[in-house]
Amino acid sequence: MAARSGGLAAAPFDLGFGRIRLPPLLWMPSCARAGAGRGGVGRVVRCCCPAEKAEDCWLEPKKKVGTRRARAEALPSLPFPSTRSKRLSKQQDFSSRCSPKSSAPESRDTPPKRDTGIASEKEWGINLLDEMVNEFGTNEDGSTWYREDGEELGDNGYRCRWARMGGKSHDGSSEWKETWWEKSDWTGYKELGAEKSGKNADGDSWWETWKEVLYQDEWSNLARIERSAQKQAKSGTENAGWYEKWLEKYDAKGWTEKGAHKYGRLNEQSWWEKWGEHYDGRGFVLKWTDKWAETELGTRWGDKWEEKFFAGIGSRQGETWHVSPTGERWSRTWGEEHLGNGKVHKYGKSTTGESWDIVVDEETYYEAEPHYGWADVVGDSTQLLSIQPQERPPGVYPNLDFGTSEPRKDDPPVEPLK
């Protein structure tokens, strides 16, 4: 398996994973800097950190994930237009530069970016203190801030350490909140997570959560690591917003699953995207993508494809389609059968009468292993793996609940934005 098989469509027709051209769409909310804090006025406190140099926060274009993902880019990722300044403070890990005592946490009021996948531990900069903190204060501009830390203990050695911080402008028009946590128990379960939300004076709002989990699979007894992220942003000035959910699962034998579900809207236009990848660790691979979009006038269009391979034998198939406001439908379907002997059967047809059915000499190419797998995720999860559970007393053994293999759902207290 060397050269690509031409799943990207060979002459005489453009049959492959062709890029679906959707109209310009979503803009991200402008990043107006939120003030800090909780209602209640405390002592005037100035952070020990110097003010960060402001920078433009227009979002970068979509980044392709993976080494060979022939998926269409549904829409460009651009920011929401806003009458407010497009300047904000650079998001930094305040904990490495500020003492928690008598120091306001640096505002982390930046909204999430589209199509950036699942962030790393380093990017989140989670830093839980060994001491319990419950502080609040008022800055010179009237904005307020708070930080509090806590710990919860439960059955079976369950332990959850958490930190919650936030801020609010003097008039309450801007606000940000962020929560960090780590969990563990005597079964070997470990979890590291974060959640943040915010809003600005324009009415733009956002929310993001991130989590990675280590646990033992109940059927295979293999260690598994799962990483996930959810992100959303909504404009306060127009009917625009977006949502994304990302998930990755890995086990020690090479079994891997990855996927995403995305949705966006800008006024009269909406779009959706779903994709998934599955590797069984023994050579079988399944990949698929489904994208579609529509306008309020009734125009709809989309593109989807799927590939399955094992030991050099497999198939690819897909469809591109369009529906007019009057209901007139056009579509083109295509397929490839890779026979494992250097021969590829290609076929397809469209509603306009074109068709083809040929066998060509062509090498087969596909990814039998994920470009980012078990060894990579273990190397990037050092903070998760270093979580220390409660000490187990002699003679006390963990209660293994085999009713479910799902990670814990109980999260630390997170106060929603009012």
Side-chain angles (χ1 to χ4, degrees), residues 140-166:
E140 292 179 340
D141 62 359
S143 61
T144 56
W145 61 269
Y146 68 93
R147 169 161 180 159
E148 52 187 334
D149 297 72
E151 181 179 84
E152 298 176 5
L153 303 178
D155 296 337
N156 210 28
Y158 173 73
R159 181 190 189 195
C160 174
R161 298 172 61 219
W162 55 268
R164 184 168 59 223
M165 66 209 79

Side-chain angles (χ1 to χ4, degrees), residues 50-362:
E52 298 291 343
K53 184 178 180 181
E55 64 177 6
D56 290 330
C57 65
W58 294 116
L59 296 194
E60 300 174 355
K62 286 182 71 170
K63 296 180 180 178
K64 183 179 289 186
V65 179
T67 57
R68 176 183 174 268
R69 182 162 296 148
R71 299 193 175 94
E73 295 191 8
L75 295 167
S77 57
L78 303 173
F80 290 132
S82 174
T83 56
R84 289 178 60 87
S85 169
K86 296 172 292 194
R87 317 288 284 186
L88 84 163
S89 295
K90 184 184 298 183
Q91 177 172 329
Q92 299 284 351
D93 176 8
F94 74 88
S95 58
S96 63
R97 306 194 318 275
C98 293
S99 166
K101 293 291 187 178
S102 303
S103 298
E106 182 178 334
S107 176
R108 298 164 64 92
D109 57 4
T110 53
K113 294 183 178 182
R114 279 188 53 212
D115 283 299
T116 51
I118 303 175
S120 66
E121 293 179 349
K122 183 178 180 181
E123 289 175 284
W124 272 98
I126 296 173
N127 185 24
L128 296 170
L129 304 176
D130 292 329
E131 54 186 314
M132 298 298 102
V133 173
N134 190 346
E135 300 179 319
F136 64 94
T138 302
N139 299 310
E140 292 179 340
D141 62 359
S143 61
T144 56
W145 61 269
Y146 68 93
R147 169 161 180 159
E148 52 187 334
D149 297 72
E151 181 179 84
E152 298 176 5
L153 303 178
D155 296 337
N156 210 28
Y158 173 73
R159 181 190 189 195
C160 174
R161 298 172 61 219
W162 55 268
R164 184 168 59 223
M165 66 209 79
K168 184 186 297 185
S169 61
H170 71 283
D171 60 359
S173 61
S174 299
E175 186 175 2
W176 67 275
K177 295 185 177 183
E178 184 161 353
T179 300
W180 301 335
W181 67 86
E182 65 174 37
K183 302 177 184 179
S184 61
D185 64 22
W186 291 335
T187 68
Y189 179 90
K190 297 183 179 182
E191 178 181 317
L192 184 69
E195 180 174 352
K196 72 174 183 178
S197 58
K199 64 179 182 179
N200 61 28
D202 287 325
D204 301 333
S205 60
W206 55 87
W207 169 82
E208 179 176 8
T209 186
W210 171 91
K211 182 167 64 175
E212 56 183 16
V213 172
L214 168 69
Y215 66 100
Q216 185 178 24
D217 179 68
E218 65 178 70
W219 300 110
S220 66
N221 288 327
L222 293 173
R224 279 196 177 184
I225 292 180
E226 296 187 8
R227 303 172 69 235
S228 61
Q230 295 186 67
K231 313 173 188 182
Q232 70 179 33
K234 183 178 181 181
S235 171
T237 57
E238 53 189 337
N239 185 18
W242 59 269
Y243 168 83
E244 295 179 355
K245 181 177 182 179
W246 299 75
L247 180 63
E248 298 176 358
K249 300 180 180 181
Y250 308 86
D251 81 8
K253 283 289 185 69
W255 176 90
T256 303
E257 282 191 356
K258 302 181 182 183
H261 181 195
K262 310 174 188 179
Y263 163 78
R265 181 179 181 88
L266 176 59
N267 299 324
E268 75 281 358
Q269 302 178 73
S270 302
W271 64 268
W272 295 260
E273 177 185 356
K274 296 180 179 180
W275 64 263
E277 298 179 357
H278 172 79
Y279 304 84
D280 72 351
R282 293 171 292 183
F284 172 79
V285 58
L286 165 66
K287 294 185 179 182
W288 61 272
T289 292
D290 192 1
K291 299 169 179 278
W292 67 102
E294 66 182 23
T295 70
E296 289 185 350
L297 296 178
T299 301
R300 293 178 290 142
W301 63 104
D303 180 71
K304 60 183 178 181
W305 62 265
E306 177 187 87
E307 68 175 36
K308 298 178 181 178
F309 282 95
F310 178 73
I313 300 174
S315 64
R316 291 188 175 104
Q317 58 186 3
E319 179 184 16
T320 300
W321 57 272
H322 178 275
V323 179
S324 70
T326 60
E328 182 180 0
R329 180 181 176 84
W330 171 88
S331 71
R332 174 187 286 157
T333 58
W334 60 270
E336 297 179 355
E337 295 178 341
H338 293 254
L339 308 177
N341 59 0
K343 303 287 186 180
V344 179
H345 176 209
K346 299 189 177 186
Y347 58 92
K349 62 182 179 178
S350 74
T351 54
T352 56
E354 58 184 340
S355 65
W356 60 97
D357 192 334
I358 59 176
V359 176
V360 298
D361 294 321
E362 193 170 88

